[in-house]
Amino acid sequence: MKRRVLSLMLSVVMMASVLAGCGSDDGTGSSTPAGGTQTESQGGEDQKEGQAAGGELNLLYSSEVSTLNYLKTSSISEMGIPANTIDTLVETDNKGNLVPALATEWSQDGLVWTFKLREGVKWVDHTGAEVAEVTAQDFVDAMKYQLTPEYEAANVRNFFGVIANAEAYYMGQIGTDEDGNTYDPIDFSEVGVKALDSYTLEYTLAGEVPYFLSSLVYVTYMPAYGPLLEEKGASFATAADSMYYCGAYYLSVYEPQVRQVLTRNPLYWDAEHVYITSINSVYNAEKATLAPEMVKRGEIDEASIGADILDDWLAGEQTRELVSKERPSTDVSYFYCFNFNPTFGEEYEPENWKKAVNNENFRQAVMAAMNRRNPMAINEPNTPEQYIQNTITPATFTMNASGVDYVELETFQEIVGKDSFDETAAVSYRDAAKTELEAEEVTFPVKMLVKYNPGVSNWDKECAVLEQQIEGVLGSDFIDIIVEAGPSESFLTVRREGNYAFMKCNWGADYADPETWTDPFYQAEGSDGYKYAFLRTAISENTAAADTVQEYFGLVESAKAITADAQKDERYDAFARAEAYLIDHALVIPYGISVSDYIATKLNVFEGQYASCGTVPNLRYKGHHLMDHFVSLEEYNKNLENE
């Protein structure tokens, strides 16, 4: 039965449920923005006490992006600029409710979703000059660009199994996959995205996708100006003047390893809710050390207050009122990956590592020897246990149809209620692994290369604690943990190229459904997936872990096949079984959610957009006021209570 656009009141109620329990939305929409940042003062006319009028936000950054091309990247660190310069069909308010953005309303008829676009939205260049109007074709052209293999879009698989014929079109251009399977080319007109007219966009899905609406806040569904894509091709978004902008800001200055400037877009359709006039970011590789001192001198408006100086700042008469915290978030999960396809140098004995990592007792020994509280305490010395999690999916991320938190499902009870750290068990696993690995002529100690990004505050300290902890339990004659700094620029190449043995990784939820947390680990046949642990290598090389990995992949595939709204509980139970199996067999070690770092900031972190998935909303400055003072912990706690 066709589901039509309902009234504003019904729309607001239904949107409020999407992020809490994906799949319950019925496709309704509204032409009137609602909630959170959308209902604040018009252009700041009722400016509140403590809020500066307009203002420039001055920041430091220590790691340069490797690309501005939002149609290519899957890196959270590279989404900050597009989050603020490119709008999406829907956005979230500061409570996490989905509200209209570039689309004013939408409807669903079976597998077909139709979006009515806001008229008069402008593309501007890096000077803020008007270029053209945003139309439905810009969404079509952006998807076609991502589905063109030569552009190497990292998120292209987000369309596979979601948008009708997206995978067939993409694979048809490649012709033959890694396993020699041949694909015939098809025309792009067969892909499930169409501009019915300038302001009507239509998506046809490959099947029922319970989380589709929530996925639209992610970078994959951002538009791009078609004529510019055709002109620039691979050079699109390589500089500030090689892309156009339709968001709250435009990138007016981009000087790599010097500075970035985001300037308020006066032609933005919702400019009255953009209060900060510019975000000025200056590059400095020593940000972690210099930023706090620059805050004290009034030179910048935000800094991380690391554990090494936190006590002094809280005790200092001049600094204690400058300290607050980040907004708690469950949109990113951290976990430790074992790499099944090592590409590091011979001095680290990759073949020896490969035999060890395919042995389950070896992996179990590492997991049991790892006291996660110790490295977590580097960033949160007071209450580290609040941020440790025993599952990949964070608590409160989503609920099933019965209102049960996903991680509280019966399947997870043994995992959630038990700390994996167990020295006695670790020694037992070690002894069993040693016997088995000696039979395979593995040499000891097994070298385990652990890499970290030197541009990330305290990561080196976490690795040092990890080394001491695991070697202390298992013995340095069994395992030799080698901690090594990776590049501060383009650090993601370490993971993507498999240049590590064991490493802390993360994943940001792309949509409000547990399937999103399988993406780092699941690899379809003939695919590298998102290049995390390279689990499929165990199958392709028929190693000792092949059957275990195959079983996990099968559980994921069974869960993905359950798509009907009426089977939401069954779907969630199936994904829970897959995730529990992944953890039970130590194919990955859960670590925790993002620590709410102690910071000094002139922003009320609860003002801006928020989402438990999609990453993009949490990076936006729209809706934020620049305060005329640094927020204190007391003020932060009051703001938190008002949420």
Side-chain angles (χ1 to χ4, degrees):
M1 180 181 295
K2 188 162 185 174
R3 309 176 202 182
R4 299 192 178 276
V5 179
L6 303 180
S7 67
L8 169 62
M9 289 303 293
L10 179 56
S11 172
V12 173
V13 172
M14 295 306 298
M15 291 304 99
S17 70
V18 174
L19 294 183
C22 171
S24 61
D25 182 72
D26 70 351
T28 59
S30 166
S31 61
T32 304
T37 63
Q38 304 291 332
T39 57
E40 294 185 7
S41 62
Q42 303 300 299
E45 292 176 5
D46 61 346
Q47 180 183 326
K48 298 178 182 178
E49 182 179 355
Q51 293 174 345
E56 299 182 358
L57 179 65
N58 296 304
L59 308 170
L60 283 189
Y61 71 102
S62 60
S63 183
E64 189 59 79
V65 298
S66 62
T67 181
L68 296 172
N69 191 341
Y70 54 94
L71 301 181
K72 290 185 60 172
T73 187
S74 63
S75 168
I76 295 173
S77 63
E78 293 172 348
M79 294 180 189
I81 291 174
N84 287 285
T85 60
I86 308 294
D87 259 17
T88 43
L89 290 168
V90 295
E91 62 185 21
T92 62
D93 64 15
N94 67 339
K95 306 294 185 183
N97 304 311
L98 284 178
V99 294
L102 292 184
T104 58
E105 58 185 49
W106 48 89
S107 60
Q108 181 188 7
D109 183 5
L111 299 181
V112 178
W113 286 77
T114 304
F115 294 83
K116 291 294 183 181
L117 268 59
R118 190 178 302 277
E119 298 185 23
V121 177
K122 305 298 183 182
W123 288 109
V124 301
D125 65 14
H126 73 293
T127 70
E130 179 180 340
V131 174
E133 189 172 12
V134 176
T135 67
Q137 188 62 39
D138 296 325
F139 291 87
V140 177
D141 293 338
M143 186 178 294
K144 184 175 183 180
Y145 183 94
Q146 293 174 83
L147 290 173
T148 303
E150 69 177 280
Y151 298 139
E152 300 179 332
N155 287 314
V156 68
R157 288 176 178 81
N158 283 23
F159 297 129
F160 296 177
V162 176
I163 302 299
N165 289 324
E167 183 173 9
Y169 175 77
Y170 182 86
M171 297 305 297
Q173 295 171 86
I174 297 174
T176 305
D177 66 15
E178 297 172 353
D179 294 333
N181 299 313
T182 301
Y183 295 83
D184 295 326
I186 65 171
D187 191 77
F188 184 74
S189 62
E190 298 182 56
V191 177
V193 58
K194 290 180 173 57
L196 302 186
D197 56 48
S198 293
Y199 306 113
T200 309
L201 175 66
E202 179 184 275
Y203 290 112
T204 301
L205 306 187
E208 290 194 56
V209 182
Y211 52 81
F212 180 66
L213 195 61
S214 69
S215 70
L216 298 179
V217 301
Y218 194 52
V219 289
T220 45
Y221 290 94
M222 285 180 171
Y225 186 53
L228 186 66
L229 286 177
E230 185 174 357
E231 174 190 343
K232 297 291 185 180
S235 65
F236 171 72
T238 53
D241 61 358
S242 63
M243 60 188 294
Y244 296 146
Y245 312 93
C246 63
Y249 296 88
Y250 59 89
L251 183 61
S252 57
V253 178
Y254 176 64
E255 301 173 13
Q257 295 191 334
V258 179
R259 62 178 181 143
Q260 305 167 358
V261 178
L262 294 174
T263 300
R264 185 178 183 269
N265 179 4
L267 299 182
Y268 182 51
W269 66 270
D270 197 23
E272 62 189 4
H273 295 114
V274 183
Y275 307 111
I276 299 173
T277 55
S278 67
I279 297 105
N280 310 314
S281 301
V282 175
Y283 176 84
N284 194 306
E286 303 300 321
K287 170 190 172 184
T289 301
L290 296 179
E293 293 302 312
M294 294 177 70
V295 160
K296 287 195 288 188
R297 296 194 299 265
E299 296 172 358
I300 59 174
D301 301 313
E302 190 168 281
S304 294
I305 308 303
D308 55 337
I309 63 172
L310 177 60
D311 288 343
D312 290 340
W313 273 60
L314 290 175
E317 186 175 344
Q318 303 300 319
T319 54
R320 59 173 168 257
E321 294 302 312
L322 305 181
V323 180
S324 63
K325 300 183 75 173
E326 291 180 334
R327 180 173 186 160
S329 176
T330 59
D331 68 321
V332 177
S333 178
Y334 289 83
F335 41 85
Y336 275 83
C337 280
F338 294 99
N339 179 16
F340 283 73
N341 188 32
T343 62
F344 43 75
E346 289 298 322
E347 67 270 28
Y348 303 117
E349 302 175 0
E351 291 305 313
N352 200 57
W353 166 257
K354 186 176 287 188
K355 291 178 182 178
V357 77
N358 275 276
N359 180 280
E360 182 167 328
N361 280 317
F362 176 84
R363 300 191 306 273
Q364 295 282 10
V366 173
M367 182 161 71
M370 182 176 168
N371 186 347
R372 295 167 298 168
R373 190 185 189 283
N374 292 338
M376 187 68 76
I378 297 295
N379 291 299
E380 176 45 74
N382 298 315
T383 57
E385 60 280 349
Q386 290 184 2
Y387 299 96
I388 294 170
Q389 60 183 30
N390 295 336
T391 54
I392 302 301
T393 304
T396 74
F397 170 71
T398 190
M399 296 181 292
N400 69 5
S402 303
V404 178
D405 190 305
Y406 176 72
V407 302
E408 293 179 1
L409 295 176
E410 184 176 351
T411 302
F412 285 128
Q413 291 315 295
E414 186 173 345
I415 292 174
V416 171
K418 180 182 177 182
D419 188 349
S420 60
F421 175 57
D422 186 331
E423 293 188 64
T424 301
V427 171
S428 178
Y429 285 128
R430 177 201 65 190
D431 294 345
K434 191 166 186 179
T435 299
E436 293 166 351
L437 292 174
E438 282 176 340
E440 295 186 48
E441 300 182 345
V442 168
T443 59
F444 295 94
V446 174
K447 294 181 178 179
M448 187 163 82
L449 177 63
V450 177
K451 289 199 172 183
Y452 67 90
N453 184 343
V456 176
S457 178
N458 293 329
W459 197 347
D460 57 339
K461 298 181 180 69
E462 290 182 55
C463 291
V465 168
L466 193 75
E467 177 182 11
Q468 182 181 33
Q469 174 76 39
I470 296 177
E471 286 188 0
V473 174
L474 301 180
S476 57
D477 58 339
F478 176 77
I479 191 167
D480 178 17
I481 297 178
I482 303 168
V483 177
E484 185 177 287
S488 58
E489 306 302 323
S490 303
F491 180 77
L492 281 177
T493 58
V494 172
R495 172 176 58 74
R496 291 170 178 167
E497 294 174 0
N499 189 15
Y500 75 96
F502 187 67
M503 189 169 70
K504 185 177 73 172
C505 300
N506 65 56
W507 182 256
D510 296 337
Y511 43 85
D513 185 88
E515 182 178 339
T516 191
W517 301 106
T518 68
D519 288 343
F521 316 110
Y522 176 75
Q523 294 171 281
E525 189 171 354
S527 167
D528 282 340
Y530 287 96
K531 299 181 179 180
Y532 274 73
F534 300 94
L535 292 176
R536 186 163 283 279
T537 304
I539 299 172
S540 62
E541 297 185 0
N542 194 28
T543 66
D547 290 345
T548 302
V549 173
Q550 186 63 69
E551 177 68 16
Y552 167 68
F553 285 171
L555 288 169
V556 171
E557 289 161 358
S558 296
K560 286 184 175 184
I562 304 171
T563 58
D565 286 348
Q567 295 178 294
K568 182 176 180 179
D569 282 359
E570 293 177 39
R571 175 180 173 86
Y572 279 32
D573 286 340
F575 276 114
R577 287 192 292 274
E579 184 171 332
Y581 186 90
L582 181 80
I583 298 166
D584 281 339
H585 291 272
L587 292 170
V588 65
I589 301 177
Y591 183 51
I593 58 173
S594 300
V595 170
S596 294
D597 289 341
Y598 287 91
I599 58 174
T601 183
K602 288 185 177 179
L603 301 181
N604 173 0
V605 295
F606 300 99
E607 272 195 322
Q609 295 182 23
Y610 172 76
S612 64
C613 64
T615 301
V616 168
N618 301 322
L619 299 173
R620 285 180 167 151
Y621 288 100
K622 176 182 176 180
H624 280 287
H625 292 84
L626 183 64
M627 311 297 285
D628 60 9
H629 63 282
F630 285 94
V631 177
S632 67
L633 273 174
E634 181 181 3
E635 186 176 354
Y636 169 89
N637 288 327
K638 287 181 179 178
N639 293 334
L640 177 60
E641 289 174 4
N642 292 331
E643 282 304 294

